[in-house]
Amino acid sequence: MADERPQVDLRTDRPHPARVYDALLGGKDNFAADRAAAAAGIERSPEVRDIALANRAFLRRVVTEAARAGVRQFVDLGTGIPTSPNVHEVAQAVAPDATVVYVDNDPIVSAHARALLPAGATTAIIEADLRDPDAILDDPKFRALVDFSRPVAVLMVAILHHLPNEADPAGIVGRFLGPAAPGSLLAISHLGADLAPEKAVGVSTAAAQGGITLLPRDRADILRFFTGLDLLDPGLVPLPLWRPDGPDAGDVTKVWSYGGLARKP
Ligand SMILES: C[S@@+](CC[C@H](N)C(=O)[O-])C[C@H]1O[C@@H](n2cnc3c(N)ncnc32)[C@H](O)[C@@H]1O
């Protein structure tokens, strides 16, 4: 049967966060503009590749912890181009009945996800913008897989620093955690401006030149995203210090990004 989805303009002539991140991770799903943006970032802070790798490892650890804590529903906001192990692989390794809704605004991400996600009722990909949370919350695929009367793990891993303050990122966090059942979890990773002030400005400026919003924030500002929730040990810390379980946790002298996991009381 012919694919009747409308043709989308992937705008491969300009960088997109998902493809720049894919380039940093050594993936193949990126274009010259993305690789140039990745190189510009590395020029301002040679550690950005270490940060991307440590961030993936943090994602693996928080999803494992959430599944071990008994959470069976995951919402991965800002999924990125599928990179194994993906959230459903990690969660289902602990709990085979875990479900995952992936959300990203990059059509390349959804195209890859549609091709790679297992057929069946445990995963879905929604192409939507986090700045319009209602479009996500009201999507039939979201409603089919997420039951807010049971705990859900909301993953905002390396996405909130793509939202400017005018987009009200704290309000967006609240839109997802507000209706969530007690025992729900929020995982955030976020570039930490106070960990490397000059590099943060350099990387942010380089990204802006490519049309990408990248806004590292200070720890105190990132902490506010967890308002009303109980931060679990060890709190909001540089990614390599968040419950490291192997060398892929990264080098704390290089990784200027924070991570934390919190529980709704
Ligand atoms: C740096 S990647 C992180 C991917 C993944 N969460 C991880 O940590 O490995 C950021 C992702 O967020 C997506 N993204 C950025 N802004 C977004 C928005 N406003 N709405 C939805 N997705 C967005 C990008 O397309 C990209 O895939």
Side-chain angles (χ1 to χ4, degrees), residues 16 18 21 55-56 78-80 104-105 128-131 157-159:
H16 190 283
Y21 184 64
N55 185 67
R56 271 320 279 184
T79 297
D104 205 286
N105 69 349
D129 199 299
L130 187 56
R131 289 166 293 186
V157 178
I159 184 168

Side-chain angles (χ1 to χ4, degrees), residues 16-19 21 25 52 55-56 59 76-81 83 103-106 109 128-132 136 155-159 161-163 189:
H16 190 283
R19 298 172 330 219
Y21 184 64
L25 289 171
N55 185 67
R56 271 320 279 184
L59 176 62
D76 184 20
L77 298 165
T79 297
I81 292 166
T83 301
V103 179
D104 205 286
N105 69 349
D106 186 337
V109 171
D129 199 299
L130 187 56
R131 289 166 293 186
D132 183 6
I136 300 167
L155 312 173
M156 293 186 159
V157 178
I159 184 168
H161 51 222
H162 290 301
L163 298 192
S189 71

